Amino acid sequence: MASRRFSHITTVFLLTIYRAISLVSVDLPDTLPLGLLDLDIVDKIQLDPNTTTQFSIDYGQLSQAAPAAVYCPSSPDDIAALVRFAYTSPRYFTIAARGRGHSVRGQAFAPGGVVVDMASLGRGRADRINVSSDDAPPRWYVDAGGEQLWIDVLHETLKHGLTPRSWTDYLHLTVGGTLSNAGISGQAFRHGPQISNVYELDVITGKGDMITCSREENSDLFYGVLGGLGQFGIITRARISLEPAPQRVRWLHLVYTNFDMFTRDQEMLISKLEKGFDYVEGRLLKGKDVSSSSFISEEDSEKVKLLADEFGAIYLLEGAVYYEQATASMVYQEVESLLKQLSFVPGFAFTKDVSYIGFLDRVHEEDTKQSSTEHEDVLHPWFNLFLPKSRIRDFESAVFKGILKNNNPVGLVLIYPFNKNKWDDKISAAIPDEEEVFYTIGLLPSATRENWEYLDKQHHEILSFCHQEGIEFKQYLPRYVTETDWRKHFGRKWHVFVQLKRQYDPKALLSPGQRIFTTPL
Ligand SMILES: Cc1cc2nc3c(=O)[nH]c(=O)nc-3n(C[C@H](O)[C@H](O)[C@H](O)COP(=O)(O)OP(=O)(O)OC[C@H]3O[C@@H](n4cnc5c(N)ncnc54)[C@H](O)[C@@H]3O)c2cc1C
Ligand SMILES: *[C@@H]1O[C@H](CO)[C@@H](O)[C@H](O)[C@H]1NC(C)=O
Ligand SMILES: *[C@@H]1O[C@H](CO)[C@@H](O)[C@H](O)[C@H]1NC(C)=O
């Protein structure tokens, strides 16, 4: 007994010496508490500048802020251990989950703190996506790790003939990252955004507690986390609803020269929740942006270019109808009769038939880069708004025909509507309150070091215009720095937002890059 005790003391002693030595060699940045080195998880913490530098930039490339350390957890328990330590540590340091860093404004940064590389949760593991197709429908679902990419979720569910209903345009985004925002694309008018299609979440709160939540259980946390900008916890698992996957997609591009007809048709299409399009989006095309698209033949491309030259700008309504091979001819007829009700320029409807996955995975990162320049040199000062339907016309005149008039290229500009009743009122995501239909406007230009600030200035002008005209807009993937602006952004939801923060992350440890709460509450 005595000798065992002795050896224990010796071990502790040796460990202390060892840590003292390794301390000197690892040189813990002074923003982090020394106690971090005593944790079992210490070998998952990376301090070398090569690694921290990689995590100090994001897709936007507009700003830079290095964390003191990068954490590579192998399990949700590892994350809980780190957060619990931070919560009890007298020394304040922040923690940001990072999906793929596809934010554009440093939202996944943790300056001087710890970035959690969520990808390491899934690395080399096959058990992070579980499809459940045994229960009777409609309770088919997939349990996916918060770090998982939507493209991988799609591949797994398709093996069971199933698919999530609501998407983003680009699928190499993480489940936890998009659920912290909203997750929008052309299916949202029918099914709501991705945050409307979740049954359950596992969340590690800012106190380090692991909580399972749903509409029934811990519902305040559930609704808070959805669209909650990472402020209340780190999502480690999401249970997402599934439906049978269609085999084929009839994909349409319809060209308009008249903005009113374009939006009227979009609104008509999103009101048809039964037989109609399964996907509705739209964009502005002008000048250099009307380059030949792979969607249409070169000959048709020329036609479209001439039209754009004549009218200055054109609008492209993008639609899709899902179908089964066996019913193809019937669906073609239905699409034809739908087209008869629409007011696109005669002769300017282009269609294509593709596989379901070919349609969903249509956007690749390549498309968002400028082909001639290196990826490193492409900046993305992206700017997204939600606007009430009644003001979309004012916006068009002042912004597309005004502020952005001389931008050539203007870059990708998305314009499409949603039905508000598909957005649960209790979720954190902020949307315009007043009308049943609201639009998303996405200004998604590529920029250089030289011109990005000019584009950024234009975005500020757009915000000023909206303020002046009393347009009840909301930013999507918002970026604000003052509490007044955040308060205005969340509007009547602000009070609940603060209350949830006080309850689940009172020390304001999580996702500091959003710059909503900058000190413990
Ligand atoms: C090419 C491209 C196309 C896009 N298309 C769309 C689109 O069609 N529709 C759409 O809605 N969005 C779109 N986005 C935006 C995208 O939804 C956001 O970038 C989002 O942040 C997801 O990116 P991410 O998974 O890399 O998360 P990150 O950028 O890494 O993180 C985003 C925020 O969420 C927090 N976070 C990350 N993981 C978790 C987690 N597991 N739990 C809690 N908080 C977490 C982070 O701390 C950070 O604050 C697009 C982005 C790009 C670059
Ligand atoms: C960091 O990167 C540099 C240059 O690529 C390399 O020489 C160095 O060995 C790297 N350091 C570590 C700790 O990986
Ligand atoms: C998938 O199921 C396995 C086995 O039950 C479990 O260990 C794992 O945590 C599950 N994964 C998710 C993301 O729920």
Side-chain angles (χ1 to χ4, degrees):
M1 190 69 197
S3 77
R4 256 165 107 198
R5 194 184 164 83
F6 172 76
S7 86
H8 176 71
I9 290 169
T10 315
T11 310
V12 169
F13 176 71
L14 288 177
L15 262 179
T16 310
I17 297 213
Y18 168 76
R19 276 181 187 137
I21 293 167
S22 57
L23 236 181
V24 175
S25 62
V26 293
D27 224 1
L28 192 72
D30 58 11
T31 51
L32 296 180
L34 288 179
L36 204 54
L37 299 173
D38 293 330
L39 301 179
D40 294 340
I41 53 170
V42 68
D43 56 331
K44 293 166 186 165
I45 296 172
Q46 310 219 359
L47 300 167
D48 73 282
N50 287 10
T51 308
T52 53
T53 305
Q54 274 172 41
F55 287 78
S56 65
I57 47 168
D58 63 14
Y59 185 80
Q61 308 235 44
L62 307 169
S63 58
Q64 201 166 341
V70 173
Y71 184 48
C72 301
S74 1
S75 68
D77 284 341
D78 282 350
I79 301 179
L82 175 75
V83 181
R84 225 176 292 124
F85 171 75
Y87 181 63
T88 50
S89 166
R91 175 136 215 184
Y92 179 66
F93 70 98
T94 57
I95 297 172
R98 174 174 168 119
R100 280 297 184 279
H102 271 62
S103 294
V104 299
R105 291 288 183 171
Q107 285 95 334
F109 291 173
V114 179
V115 166
V116 180
D117 177 22
M118 293 300 286
S120 67
L121 278 184
R123 214 157 272 150
R125 304 194 41 172
D127 68 343
R128 297 293 295 162
I129 303 178
N130 297 329
V131 179
S132 165
S133 54
D134 304 337
D135 285 6
R139 279 296 288 201
W140 289 320
Y141 61 77
V142 57
D143 277 324
E147 77 288 355
Q148 291 297 316
L149 299 181
W150 284 99
I151 182 73
D152 296 326
V153 175
L154 177 61
H155 283 302
E156 265 328 293
T157 59
L158 284 181
K159 289 181 189 162
H160 301 257
L162 299 172
T163 174
R165 304 160 204 263
S166 187
W167 292 98
T168 47
D169 294 343
Y170 174 62
L171 304 186
H172 295 250
L173 304 167
T174 66
V175 167
T178 69
L179 295 183
S180 297
N181 287 293
I184 53 168
S185 187
Q187 298 87 357
F189 77 87
R190 173 174 303 229
H191 299 293
Q194 290 182 321
I195 51 175
S196 293
N197 291 276
V198 180
Y199 291 137
E200 193 176 280
L201 297 169
D202 282 344
V203 175
I204 294 163
T205 70
K207 295 177 174 174
D209 299 325
M210 163 81 83
I211 298 182
T212 298
C213 57
S214 64
R215 284 182 181 77
E216 293 79 34
E217 195 187 348
N218 300 305
S219 59
D220 62 338
L221 183 63
F222 179 76
Y223 291 118
V225 164
L226 295 172
L229 307 178
Q231 295 305 299
F232 313 118
I234 296 177
I235 301 167
T236 56
R237 176 184 63 98
R239 179 166 290 181
I240 299 151
S241 74
L242 300 176
E243 66 179 8
Q247 290 170 336
R248 305 285 304 171
V249 176
R250 191 133 176 95
W251 185 4
L252 302 104
H253 277 188
L254 312 173
V255 176
Y256 291 73
T257 52
N258 180 307
F259 185 73
D260 291 333
M261 287 180 179
F262 164 72
T263 52
R264 194 191 60 197
D265 281 358
Q266 283 188 319
E267 284 165 30
M268 190 274 277
L269 288 166
I270 70 154
S271 72
K272 281 185 185 290
L273 294 184
E274 289 306 319
K275 291 206 160 182
F277 285 10
D278 292 290
Y279 164 100
V280 177
E281 286 201 4
R283 26 182 139 129
L284 165 75
L285 289 178
K286 60 173 230 177
K288 286 187 197 153
D289 304 289
V290 198
S291 59
S292 57
S293 99
S294 60
F295 193 87
I296 50 179
S297 69
E298 235 165 77
E299 198 183 326
D300 287 336
S301 229
E302 275 312 309
K303 259 170 61 181
V304 174
K305 252 185 240 170
L306 285 175
L307 197 70
D309 286 345
E310 186 185 342
F311 286 85
I314 53 174
Y315 295 94
L316 184 72
L317 193 158
E318 191 184 16
V321 177
Y322 300 161
Y323 69 95
E324 303 308 306
Q325 198 64 66
T327 58
S329 61
M330 198 182 78
V331 171
Y332 284 19
Q333 278 173 20
E334 283 171 8
V335 170
E336 282 311 312
S337 73
L338 259 174
L339 289 185
K340 292 208 176 82
Q341 301 170 44
L342 301 176
S343 310
F344 52 87
V345 181
F348 284 82
F350 308 103
T351 53
K352 212 169 160 173
D353 276 282
V354 293
S355 68
Y356 180 60
I357 191 161
F359 172 70
L360 287 182
D361 197 22
R362 66 199 173 279
V363 181
H364 298 279
E365 206 155 347
E366 293 307 315
D367 300 341
T368 67
K369 289 181 201 168
Q370 283 169 335
S371 48
S372 58
T373 37
E374 288 286 307
H375 182 47
E376 286 72 36
D377 298 331
V378 182
L379 282 62
H380 299 105
W382 288 4
F383 178 63
N384 296 274
L385 290 176
F386 292 151
L387 297 171
K389 152 189 151 169
S390 67
R391 304 308 298 270
I392 197 77
R393 188 75 172 76
D394 301 335
F395 190 89
E396 186 239 3
S397 322
V399 176
F400 301 152
K401 299 210 169 110
I403 298 171
L404 303 179
K405 186 178 60 195
N406 296 322
N407 294 27
N408 190 11
V410 68
L412 182 58
V413 178
L414 297 177
I415 311 159
Y416 60 94
F418 304 113
N419 293 306
K420 193 183 76 176
N421 64 8
K422 297 289 174 184
W423 294 63
D424 201 312
D425 192 48
K426 295 192 199 124
I427 52 172
S428 292
I431 59 172
D433 257 344
E434 283 161 8
E435 298 172 17
E436 263 319 305
V437 170
F438 65 95
Y439 275 79
T440 183
I441 304 282
L443 305 179
L444 314 175
S446 293
T448 61
R449 292 255 162 251
E450 286 69 47
N451 73 359
W452 82 268
E453 278 169 326
Y454 174 72
L455 297 171
D456 201 43
K457 207 179 100 223
Q458 289 186 325
H459 301 159
H460 284 283
E461 273 176 58
I462 295 171
L463 289 178
S464 305
F465 160 76
C466 292
H467 281 303
Q468 269 164 29
E469 295 300 310
I471 298 178
E472 194 222 5
F473 72 90
K474 297 289 177 194
Q475 276 192 49
Y476 177 55
L477 309 169
R479 183 218 179 208
Y480 290 115
V481 289
T482 68
E483 191 191 307
T484 318
D485 281 338
W486 280 116
R487 189 186 282 271
K488 205 180 312 165
H489 174 76
F490 285 108
R492 62 187 167 77
K493 292 180 177 176
W494 174 249
H495 177 68
V496 174
F497 204 81
V498 175
Q499 206 175 308
L500 287 172
K501 187 71 174 179
R502 198 162 274 138
Q503 184 171 352
Y504 292 109
D505 183 23
K507 289 205 163 169
L509 304 177
L510 301 178
S511 289
Q514 301 278 3
R515 297 201 266 180
I516 306 174
F517 301 97
T518 49
T519 48
L521 275 79

